[in-house]
Amino acid sequence: MRMNSALLAIVASIVVVGSAFAQDLGPRVKKLADGVYVHTGNGFDSNSGIILTDEGVVVIDTGQNPIESRDIAATVKKLTSMPVRIVIDTEPHGDHTTGHFVFPQAVIIAAAGGGESMRGADRAAPNRIQTMAATSPEMKAALEGYRFIAPHIEYHDRMTINFGGKTIELIYMKGVHSESDSAVWLPKERVVFSASAFVVNQVNILRPFVTIPDILAAGKMMRALNPEYVVPGHGTPGTVKIFDDGEKYYALLMDRVGTLMKQGKSLDDIRKEVKMPEYASWGSQERMPTNVEAAYKALGGKI
């Protein structure tokens, strides 16, 4: 009887504390499924995921910058006393990975090429952290103890993590945004973290190695998982409508670029003449030339 009473007391305290947590997570944290949360970035800043398991916490991306990383860490502490054991990178860029040092006990996992990309960026901008620290006293404080941490484990093609009662599937996506992009799929909870293959209400930057067919293939693959929730690398989490909206945008872009190509226009002329007024409200309009170039290449144009 004493043991049962003690257990009931523990359960009661968990219920009370859990209720307090739910009221104290802030407007940018949303529970998507049992033990699965999204920590949404400000505006177009990167999103992060928090997964609670019986053996510790899994964090998906460590935030736009170290201020956000420490905010994510604070959210974790509100949810559980267990440490962050695993960090999964959906991509290697600094707006997803600089905050690794905030989670020193974690094993970092990424798709093959993630570490090489991070090290290359670090060499190319040796003063990046000092420059970041100089932006504000808050940023300087958040960067205290900073150290560069590349992924400890890199996988090829696919990887399944069974940890603390959760199953997490990592799927490599080629040519969609960076050198090392991963979709993170929780099959039981039906949540997919879709990396930056698709973003919300924003023109995506399409680097020279990114192709529109690869982006569309990734969207088709993730839609086939039949997720209930889609968490993009940037922008408001939602449903598969995120993929639908992206596909419609690229279809219209390809149609307009293709029409001008048939008229014999040069790439320089096409860059100047293609207009997408339907998407004028989307952010990062300065990226439109890279999108036009990607459409031009996808349609057989040579650059």
Side-chain angles (χ1 to χ4, degrees):
M1 283 295 296
R2 284 197 297 272
M3 183 176 290
N4 288 342
S5 297
L7 287 172
L8 287 172
I10 291 170
V11 170
S13 69
I14 289 172
V15 170
V16 171
V17 173
S19 175
F21 288 160
Q23 297 171 2
D24 194 38
L25 295 178
R28 293 198 289 122
V29 179
K30 180 180 179 181
K31 183 176 181 179
L32 301 180
D34 185 31
V36 181
Y37 298 79
V38 58
H39 191 287
T40 308
N42 281 304
F44 293 124
D45 287 354
S46 62
N47 298 322
S48 297
I50 298 170
I51 304 170
L52 309 182
T53 86
D54 295 338
E55 297 180 39
V57 181
V58 178
V59 166
I60 301 173
D61 291 338
T62 54
Q64 179 76 21
N65 55 53
I67 294 174
E68 282 289 283
S69 305
R70 294 191 183 278
D71 195 20
I72 293 162
T75 299
V76 169
K77 288 182 179 179
K78 293 175 184 176
L79 290 167
T80 178
S81 60
M82 299 189 78
V84 175
R85 296 294 192 190
I86 297 173
V87 166
I88 299 170
D89 292 341
T90 66
E91 64 166 90
H93 296 157
D95 57 340
H96 296 252
T97 62
T98 300
H100 286 173
F101 75 100
V102 175
F103 306 98
Q105 294 178 306
V107 173
I108 316 295
I109 302 174
E116 182 180 357
S117 174
M118 288 180 64
R119 286 186 286 271
D122 197 55
R123 288 191 298 268
N127 297 319
R128 182 177 72 93
I129 298 304
Q130 293 91 326
T131 301
M132 185 183 294
T135 58
S136 71
E138 184 183 17
M139 187 67 75
K140 183 178 180 181
L143 277 162
E144 185 176 349
Y146 170 81
R147 61 191 180 95
F148 175 85
I149 304 177
H152 302 108
I153 297 172
E154 297 190 13
Y155 73 94
H156 293 269
D157 191 27
R158 286 176 178 259
M159 178 178 183
T160 298
I161 302 169
N162 293 302
F163 181 73
K166 295 288 187 186
T167 297
I168 305 169
E169 298 178 5
L170 310 186
I171 307 168
Y172 169 64
M173 297 185 291
K174 172 183 174 291
V176 300
H177 179 72
S178 76
E179 304 84 351
S180 171
D181 292 299
S182 294
V184 182
W185 169 234
L186 286 80
K188 181 181 178 182
E189 294 80 6
R190 312 215 66 77
V191 177
V192 65
F193 291 80
S194 62
S196 298
F198 292 82
V199 292
V200 178
N201 296 331
Q202 184 182 25
V203 178
N204 212 343
I205 184 166
L206 303 189
R207 296 173 175 84
F209 55 82
V210 172
T211 77
I212 292 174
D214 281 336
I215 292 171
L216 297 178
K220 182 178 180 181
M221 176 274 294
M222 288 187 284
R223 182 189 282 102
L225 298 172
N226 192 28
E228 183 176 352
Y229 293 103
V230 176
V231 182
H234 299 260
T236 304
T239 66
V240 293
K241 185 178 182 296
I242 291 172
F243 306 142
D244 296 338
D245 290 347
E247 288 172 1
K248 289 176 183 176
Y249 164 78
Y250 287 118
L252 184 58
L253 176 67
M254 298 265 282
D255 179 67
R256 290 184 178 162
V257 170
T259 296
L260 293 174
M261 289 175 71
K262 289 174 183 176
Q263 295 174 8
K265 301 280 188 178
S266 69
L267 176 56
D268 284 341
D269 287 338
I270 293 172
R271 283 196 199 99
K272 295 172 185 175
E273 294 183 28
V274 165
K275 305 297 179 187
M276 298 285 280
E278 300 86 350
Y279 299 94
S281 64
W282 281 18
S284 305
Q285 290 288 319
E286 71 280 0
R287 297 172 173 175
M288 189 61 73
T290 68
N291 284 229
V292 171
E293 290 172 14
Y296 181 82
K297 286 192 292 185
L299 292 166
K302 304 296 182 183
I303 296 180

